[in-house]
mmCIF file of all heavy atoms in Angstrom:
data_model
loop_
_atom_site.group_PDB
_atom_site.id
_atom_site.type_symbol
_atom_site.label_atom_id
_atom_site.label_comp_id
_atom_site.label_asym_id
_atom_site.label_seq_id
_atom_site.Cartn_x
_atom_site.Cartn_y
_atom_site.Cartn_z
ATOM 1 N N SER A 51 -1.441 17.296 2.268
ATOM 2 C CA SER A 51 -2.250 16.924 3.536
ATOM 3 C C SER A 51 -1.855 15.666 3.997
ATOM 4 O O SER A 51 -0.872 14.940 3.598
ATOM 5 C CB SER A 51 -3.569 17.089 3.160
ATOM 6 O OG SER A 51 -4.520 16.957 4.245
ATOM 7 N N PHE A 149 16.002 26.976 5.152
ATOM 8 C CA PHE A 149 14.677 27.080 4.643
ATOM 9 C C PHE A 149 13.643 27.240 5.756
ATOM 10 O O PHE A 149 12.537 27.665 5.451
ATOM 11 C CB PHE A 149 14.422 25.988 3.533
ATOM 12 C CG PHE A 149 14.243 24.559 4.096
ATOM 13 C CD1 PHE A 149 13.168 24.213 4.864
ATOM 14 C CD2 PHE A 149 15.150 23.667 3.707
ATOM 15 C CE1 PHE A 149 13.013 22.826 5.301
ATOM 16 C CE2 PHE A 149 14.990 22.287 4.153
ATOM 17 C CZ PHE A 149 13.958 21.978 4.859
ATOM 18 N N ILE A 207 7.305 31.960 -14.775
ATOM 19 C CA ILE A 207 7.643 33.052 -13.961
ATOM 20 C C ILE A 207 7.605 32.579 -12.496
ATOM 21 O O ILE A 207 8.330 33.008 -11.630
ATOM 22 C CB ILE A 207 6.762 34.290 -14.139
ATOM 23 C CG1 ILE A 207 7.178 35.536 -13.315
ATOM 24 C CG2 ILE A 207 5.363 33.971 -13.845
ATOM 25 C CD1 ILE A 207 8.762 35.891 -13.700
#
Side-chain angles (χ1 to χ4, degrees):
S51 188
F149 70 72
I207 187 61

